[in-house]
Amino acid sequence: MKLYFKSIIVCLILLCQGCGNDDNGNGVVVIDDDGDEPTIKTLATLTPSNNESPVSKTPSISWENYDSDQPITYSLFLGTTENSLTEIESGLTVTSYEIETDDALDLNTDYFWQIIAYEEGETVAESEVQTFTTELVFPSLITEDAAYGSRKAAGVEVFDDKIWVIGGRNEADVALTDIWSSDDGENWTLEGDFPFGGIYGHELIAFNGKLWIYGGISEGILSNKIFSSEDGIAWVEETETTPFIQYQNSKFEVFGDSIFRIAGYSGDIDDLSPERNVYSSIDGLNWNLEIENHGFDTKYSFQIENLNETLYSFEPNPDLDIEEISTRTSMDGINWSSPEVSEIRERGINSVRTVVLDDKIILMTTPVDGPNPDSTFYESSNGVDWVAATTIDSVPIRAIFYALVNLNGELFAIGGTQRSNFSTTNNTVWKLN
């Protein structure tokens, strides 16, 4: 019986000793020099700030110094969820860390990070877990001299997992016939020639499993011919013709099971000219006049995008002294809402381009602090509330010379596809994400 009680007393003593020690969670008991449980202090972080967006894909991460008379080292932990942080650097003796280009973070991604300070190998301070979101757009020039050659007023479209560039005018203002394609925006293949002569200022659009060409200047005159191709290479001239003509600035969009022609420049000086007519077609060949006036302030100086089965229009104010963009929406391509104004900087009707990516509209426009020939990028999920899509203040590309396209989630700015009546030709290509 005495042996039994002695065993109980020994167990109780050991249990009390265990409660008085500090278990670091790995089965190792840690006691400071005074026998007290050590206090883990909170370490303040500096950059990026918590919930900051957008953050560069090569950010500088910094935190406050831990004050101690002993040498301090730091470890940086990073991950895409709060519960999956990985130590990416240890033994740091400075209070900042630069993520280099070779280790660049993924774009448009939520990241979580934490910093821990050590003294003689023991944790003395740690930060709260912080989060930030990387930029959606990071423009990079992938070629200054694309093989399709310097041109203007070419047609550009994504079709069959490739970017297509067809026609245009060269530096001598000669109408071009060549057909080019690329699956990466950098390497281009000459697919042949458009069999119906040089063409420029036309609309090139994918619809119902085909590429279609409408309008532009064909055989030297304003065209109402319709051309189609099942593979982008072999083209046929359809027997049908369009009831409209337009020379550049065409506004076509696929919406539901139809294709809409919402505007197009033909040189008519009358405000209520056929340039404002809205047509639709379910087969690309036969067109119905839906309404004679689309109702926008300008006849054709706006962008059209289809986001989640809603059409959005983005109309820069034509007055260079008023920097604003008006957004309208439509559920049928015919009736449009009243404009909602965003005070996003623009420099007139040719200073913006748009494209859709990941349920967001990407807007290319003039930087806040200029210069005017450059661009920056914003993003919006509703076409009205805009936030910066990149940390790069200014990119040396100009909207009037580029078209934005989405190739399987990769965004490209294709040079040489806009404005046929300017002398400048272009064949540079930028990758935006």
Side-chain angles (χ1 to χ4, degrees), residues 151-156 165-169 199-202 415-418:
R151 63 189 63 208
K152 56 191 174 183
V156 61
V165 173
I166 298 178
R169 300 165 81 185
I199 189 169
Y200 61 93
H202 51 291
T417 55
Q418 301 286 344

Side-chain angles (χ1 to χ4, degrees), residues 1-19:
M1 180 63 70
K2 291 182 179 180
L3 180 61
Y4 175 72
F5 282 111
K6 286 182 179 179
S7 298
I8 293 177
I9 292 171
V10 170
C11 290
L12 289 173
I13 293 172
L14 290 174
L15 180 60
C16 291
Q17 288 178 338
C19 294

Side-chain angles (χ1 to χ4, degrees), residues 154-158 163-166 202 204-205 403 405 414 417-418:
V156 61
E157 178 64 306
V158 170
I163 305 169
W164 295 80
V165 173
I166 298 178
H202 51 291
L204 179 65
I205 189 167
V405 296
I414 307 296
T417 55
Q418 301 286 344

Side-chain angles (χ1 to χ4, degrees), residues 302-322:
F302 46 86
Q303 303 294 301
I304 299 289
E305 295 294 347
N306 181 355
L307 176 65
N308 298 328
E309 296 308 312
T310 299
L311 285 181
Y312 290 79
S313 77
F314 305 99
E315 185 175 22
N317 194 304
D319 189 337
L320 293 180
D321 295 327
I322 303 176

Side-chain angles (χ1 to χ4, degrees), residues 190-222:
L190 178 60
E191 301 286 5
D193 285 294
F194 187 65
F196 303 101
I199 189 169
Y200 61 93
H202 51 291
E203 176 73 13
L204 179 65
I205 189 167
F207 175 65
N208 279 357
K210 293 182 179 181
L211 272 179
W212 301 80
I213 287 178
Y214 300 104
I217 303 295
S218 176
E219 298 179 325
I221 61 173
L222 283 169

Side-chain angles (χ1 to χ4, degrees), residues 112-245:
F112 297 81
W113 66 285
Q114 184 181 38
I115 193 77
I116 297 180
Y118 300 93
E119 182 180 289
E120 296 181 345
E122 301 296 337
T123 300
V124 291
E126 61 183 29
S127 72
E128 295 180 354
V129 176
Q130 307 287 288
T131 184
F132 62 85
T133 303
T134 50
E135 55 201 338
L136 179 61
V137 172
F138 185 86
S140 59
L141 178 65
I142 60 175
T143 177
E144 291 184 286
D145 189 22
Y148 61 78
S150 186
R151 63 189 63 208
K152 56 191 174 183
V156 61
E157 178 64 306
V158 170
F159 175 71
D160 196 22
D161 295 325
K162 296 178 182 179
I163 305 169
W164 295 80
V165 173
I166 298 178
R169 300 165 81 185
N170 63 17
E171 292 177 345
D173 281 336
V174 175
L176 302 172
T177 63
D178 46 353
I179 299 171
W180 294 83
S181 74
S182 173
D183 60 8
D184 62 5
E186 181 176 7
N187 301 288
W188 293 84
T189 300
L190 178 60
E191 301 286 5
D193 285 294
F194 187 65
F196 303 101
I199 189 169
Y200 61 93
H202 51 291
E203 176 73 13
L204 179 65
I205 189 167
F207 175 65
N208 279 357
K210 293 182 179 181
L211 272 179
W212 301 80
I213 287 178
Y214 300 104
I217 303 295
S218 176
E219 298 179 325
I221 61 173
L222 283 169
S223 174
N224 65 345
K225 296 178 180 179
I226 299 175
F227 304 98
S228 69
S229 173
E230 294 183 350
D231 60 7
I233 303 170
W235 287 84
V236 297
E237 180 180 347
E238 304 290 354
T239 57
E240 293 84 355
T241 58
T242 63
F244 49 82
I245 58 173

Side-chain angles (χ1 to χ4, degrees), residues 252-265:
F252 284 71
E253 189 65 42
V254 176
F255 186 60
D257 59 358
S258 298
I259 183 172
F260 280 80
R261 181 271 193 187
I262 297 174
Y265 172 71

